[in-house]
Amino acid sequence: MSEAPAALAPYRVLDLTGALGALAGRVLAGLGADVIKVERPGGDPARAQGPFFQHEPHPHRSLSWIFANAGKRGVTLDPAQPRGRALLFRLAATSDFLLESSPPGRLAALGLSDEQLLAANPALVVVHISPFGQSGPYRDFQATDLVAWALGGQLYLDGDDDRAPTRPSAPQTELLAGVHAAAGAVTAHYLRTRTGRGQSVDIAAQECVTWTLMIAAQVWDVSHINSRRGGAVRTAQRLDGSTLVHRVLWPCKDGFVLWSLSGGQAAGTLASTRALVRWMAEEGMADAPTEVDWSQLSAAVMDQATYDRLSAPFLAFFASKSKRELFEGSLARSIQLAAVNEIADVAASPQLAEREYWSDVAHAYLGATLRFPGAPVRLSRTPWRTPRPAPLPGEHNREIYGDLLGLSMDELRDLCAAGVV
Amino acid sequence: MDHRSLFAPPEGMPFAGIKVVDFAWVGVGPIVARHLADFGATVLRVESSTRPDTLRLAPPFRDGQPGLDRSAFGAVYNTNKLGLALNLRLPRARELAIRLVRWADIVTDSMTPGSLAKLGLGYEDLRRVKPEILMYSTTQMGQTGPYRDFGGYGQHGASTAGFHALTGWPDRAPAGIFGAYTDFVAPWFLYTALVAALDYRDRTGEGQYLDESQVEAALQILGPALLDYAASGQALQRSGNDDAEMTPHGVFPCASDGGSDDRWLAIAVRDAADWAALAAVIGRTEWVQDETLRDTAARRARSEELAGAITAWTRQRTPHEAMVVLQAAGVPAGAVQTCEELFADPQLLHRGHWWTLDHAVMGPHAYDAPAWKLSESPAQPRRAGPTLGQHTHAICHEILGLGDEAIAELTAEGVFE
């Protein structure tokens, strides 16, 4: 059986990223590019990042590394040594993209500035990923997931309002910056297909976080209101100075569901609320609020006593059903309600199973098959590729330095002995 | 009136000359098309006042006064696009839409699955008209499967994908993540795949159809937790600001600033160097000598005591004052910035993150610039988001080749409502 074509099959990517931005190369590999991960001899320090396979820390067992570097081949190389640098230039000369996320200025200090890389290969697209960018007052600031989340503006908006702001417990800004970097890379690439000329692209994790604020920044710009965080139960500040304590996440039999108690003139909301009330009545709930004129009861104007009185039957109804029953019943009735899924619920999703979302990838070095999230986008002609397992350090040195660059076994042994690869 | 300048491909831009018919609405679909426009594509935003985009009905409104052309929410995902009003429920409007498809390279969709097909504008219809067309559809759940008809927004996607349950304190109900979070994860995957498909079309002459489930795309950035659960059966749980590998790691209260007591600093200690630097900055050098605090697990066991000492220090300083001192010592620290502060953030300003564009009704207001900065062909703020149908007349003239009489006739039939 011949393999389906891949959109980016003609292109090669040299991937020098650490934990920050490693997903960029993974995305380009999913679209068919030949991605070569370049690690320092001994392996990328990002291999120390958990979670670890079976929770046993080891550089070969880092699931964050394995996830973000799936689909790539791997070589080792020390760019701080002159011969390593020379090898890197040779690899860059055969590549279409170079991705890196070292501290800003580090590559240039090693003689690998944009100017030098583009002089060696004028068609190269060089993508830099860093916490704050390649220039500017915060260029040299240190960051982690939490710090990017804070300075990007998302952290202030998350968590219960009577405690400190909280980030999602799955660190993700390093991955988020990676997919922005992939988008930037293909943008520069597309121009290159027309002009033959490469350029550099600068991605900052902080700015990628700022893109997640939905409309909160514009609410400040237009209305001079600083949006504030709130948990399952929130306090809405209205323009007329009144407030409404309202619920966003509602307890149910086995967890929570997301739903808003409101009526009013917006057609979708009104129909949704009426459909839920009908469902409650169908199930024989004696106090289903069927007599209420929901068209007059938008949460934007409802007073607190009314809101609290109307909440009671919904709380009782939700408590009688599981989040999956509530979601599937809502789906059938066009009710705007979602399950607050835990990781285990996501893994058991009938929708993801029916769409054959998960990809099982055998990892010989773990003696195990790992289940990956599958295609983020389904392309009808050039499907997303199920990845090869992430490489071990230097796994493809021979194949890439030998077959691709034409180094002899003697030369390779010599470089290895000198600690260059 | 000469409208041609509206359609002149911007020289030197990556997508100069690429033509897009944007039938999508709300978040993800328009955001992807917006980025094509920001990098030079000619994008026609097709809307109808008979069924307006939900975001045009949502605040913030200029002067607090609602109106289809008064919402920043309705504008910000549509920079650099041209506005076309077209009531696709009318057969003559659909004929015009098909003519636009012949003109276009890319067609977008984010309606409930099957909605465009019912209007004769599904992918199978379009490829008969133009085999090399590229089309994407983006919805919460994707085009197939038992949940495909779910018509929710990004907050439902964030809840479904697990982000809500993972955000908050272990001793309380989940707090959930702010806003329609998956709407700001899913676009970048779709955009990247689309540009790859555009390059493939250029090389082979073949178009294709892209189906994105926003939940499936967003799950990518929970990848490590999903791999771990499948391998170990242990599911990641929300844990406030605790981190599996770093301690201290948290958000600490600061002195009031800008008239607010709700001021915080995020601090993350990655390793021994950060630990020593933090101890020195806050005047607790005895911590460094204390062997019982040398590793992360030991510090975690005494995290309340450490947090108390750190708080005693942060309480005396504003978030930005404390951040600068810690950063000077190499410790990852960040002010928990309000939206107001983002407009004064020197780094975001340095990167030109905020575009101010003059909207036809709202006047000048702020837009986020694309996060990827290209050295030679940067995104260009050419136009604010269009009012509904702002460029209908020009598009009829220049792209559809209609004369004034034909336009008047179609207008009378309600085609441009």
Side-chain angles (χ1 to χ4, degrees), chain A residues 11 50 132 135 138 142 158 162 165 167 169 172 187 190 194 199 207 328 339 351 355 357 374 381, chain B residues 16 144 147 159 172 178 181 191 199 202 206 208 216 220 239 241 243 245 327 347 350-351 353 376:
Chain A
Y11 309 113
F132 300 102
S135 62
Y138 293 175
Q142 300 296 305
D158 289 312
D162 62 338
R167 68 160 182 175
S169 294
Q172 56 198 263
T187 307
Y190 195 72
R194 296 169 157 203
Q199 57 179 313
E207 191 177 15
E328 291 185 350
Q351 172 70 3
R355 277 169 65 81
Y357 177 62
R381 179 72 191 146
Chain B
T144 59
Y147 296 171
S159 189
R172 287 198 178 167
F178 177 79
Y181 183 67
Y191 174 96
D199 174 49
D202 291 352
E206 291 180 9
Q208 57 182 319
E216 290 175 355
Q220 297 290 325
S239 57
N241 288 313
D243 187 83
E245 284 145 10
Q327 284 284 357
Q347 189 65 18
H350 174 81
R351 291 178 68 77
H353 180 75
E376 306 304 315

Side-chain angles (χ1 to χ4, degrees), chain B residues 99-311:
Chain B
R99 285 167 66 181
L100 292 175
V101 170
R102 287 207 181 86
W103 164 86
D105 301 282
I106 295 166
V107 174
T108 82
D109 163 39
S110 65
M111 308 286 169
T112 309
S115 304
L116 279 182
K118 272 185 218 147
L119 297 171
L121 296 168
Y123 176 64
E124 293 305 320
D125 304 302
L126 303 194
R127 73 191 291 198
R128 275 196 292 277
V129 172
K130 186 164 188 178
E132 69 274 29
I133 198 78
L134 287 167
M135 181 177 183
Y136 67 74
S137 295
T138 177
T139 60
Q140 292 303 325
M141 301 291 184
Q143 298 295 304
T144 59
Y147 296 171
R148 68 180 191 152
D149 293 328
F150 181 66
Y153 296 97
Q155 54 270 45
H156 301 99
S159 189
T160 303
F163 295 97
H164 277 0
L166 284 170
T167 307
W169 300 95
D171 63 331
R172 287 198 178 167
I177 197 163
F178 177 79
Y181 183 67
T182 48
D183 281 6
F184 307 96
V185 180
W188 329 120
F189 288 98
L190 180 55
Y191 174 96
T192 306
L194 178 70
V195 177
L198 186 61
D199 174 49
Y200 183 80
R201 185 212 63 174
D202 291 352
R203 298 197 318 271
T204 64
E206 291 180 9
Q208 57 182 319
Y209 178 64
L210 281 67
D211 164 17
E212 182 189 54
S213 153
Q214 292 160 26
V215 168
E216 290 175 355
L219 285 174
Q220 297 290 325
I221 67 167
L222 296 178
L226 292 166
L227 261 66
D228 184 21
Y229 176 72
S232 73
Q234 287 183 39
L236 184 67
Q237 306 289 330
R238 62 181 170 277
S239 57
N241 288 313
D242 284 355
D243 187 83
E245 284 145 10
M246 295 180 260
T247 307
H249 185 276
V251 176
F252 300 90
C254 294
S256 66
D257 184 28
S260 166
D261 294 332
D262 190 35
R263 303 315 320 261
W264 306 86
L265 180 73
I267 300 175
V269 169
R270 298 164 297 189
D271 52 26
D274 287 351
W275 172 237
L278 172 69
V281 167
I282 72 168
R284 301 300 293 257
T285 44
E286 73 275 14
W287 283 355
V288 185
Q289 312 307 323
D290 187 343
E291 298 227 350
T292 65
L293 287 173
R294 204 143 277 180
D295 69 70
T296 306
R299 293 201 291 269
R300 182 164 291 135
R302 287 168 62 184
S303 61
E304 266 187 44
E305 173 199 342
L306 302 183
I310 295 168
T311 299

Side-chain angles (χ1 to χ4, degrees), chain A residues 292-304:
Chain A
V292 171
D293 181 3
W294 290 99
S295 69
Q296 301 305 313
L297 283 170
S298 162
V301 296
M302 212 184 290
D303 67 66
Q304 191 70 54

Side-chain angles (χ1 to χ4, degrees), chain A residues 39 74-76 365 388-399:
Chain A
E39 298 183 72
V75 297
T76 49
Y365 54 82
R388 64 161 77 215
L392 293 172
E395 183 177 339
H396 303 96
N397 279 357
R398 202 186 278 195
E399 178 176 314

Side-chain angles (χ1 to χ4, degrees), chain A residues 165-176:
Chain A
T166 47
R167 68 160 182 175
S169 294
Q172 56 198 263
T173 55
E174 291 177 336
L175 298 168
L176 184 65

Side-chain angles (χ1 to χ4, degrees), chain A residues 1-25:
Chain A
M1 199 180 90
S2 68
E3 207 180 358
L8 297 180
Y11 309 113
R12 180 169 297 129
V13 181
L14 210 52
D15 182 351
L16 281 70
T17 59
L20 179 57
L23 191 62

